[in-house]
Amino acid sequence: MMIIVYISLAVVLASLAYLIYAGVSFNKKIKPTVNSVNATSQHLQNETDHIKEKTNHLKVTQAAIKTDVQYKKDSVKYTANSFKQLVNSFKR
């Protein structure tokens, strides 16, 4: 009867040792893949940050262009109105 207990204990210890070995082996095999995924993730994050910076720069440039176009539009309108007033004053 005691032999069965010892055999069972030996099987449990052997299973536990194999589980630890399999875990360490799996960790060694998967480590390069995890490092590669982390490097790729970091590269993608850097590219995303770069795109965000470019997007913000384009928004600022777009706002400056809109302001410049509006200023030039207003200048042309002012000049046209001044010319109309000048023509009207000569007609009188």
Side-chain angles (χ1 to χ4, degrees):
M1 182 79 163
M2 213 48 187
I3 293 176
I4 294 175
V5 172
Y6 289 133
I7 292 173
S8 297
L9 185 59
V11 168
V12 168
L13 289 176
S15 299
L16 190 58
Y18 180 74
L19 178 66
I20 291 171
Y21 169 76
V24 169
S25 177
F26 177 76
N27 189 28
K28 284 182 182 178
K29 287 180 183 177
I30 200 163
K31 192 168 188 169
T33 304
V34 170
N35 289 341
S36 175
V37 168
N38 286 339
T40 303
S41 175
Q42 184 62 40
H43 177 70
L44 287 175
Q45 185 62 44
N46 291 342
E47 290 296 318
T48 302
D49 293 343
H50 182 70
I51 290 170
K52 285 180 183 178
E53 288 174 14
K54 290 290 186 181
T55 301
N56 289 337
H57 178 69
L58 287 174
K59 285 180 182 178
V60 168
T61 303
Q62 181 185 25
I65 290 171
K66 282 183 179 180
T67 302
D68 187 49
V69 167
Q70 188 61 44
Y71 173 75
K72 289 177 180 176
K73 213 191 276 187
D74 293 343
S75 295
V76 169
K77 283 182 184 178
Y78 176 76
T79 304
N81 287 337
S82 297
F83 183 73
K84 286 178 186 176
Q85 288 176 357
L86 181 65
V87 169
N88 286 338
S89 68
F90 281 132
K91 285 183 181 178
R92 290 183 192 174

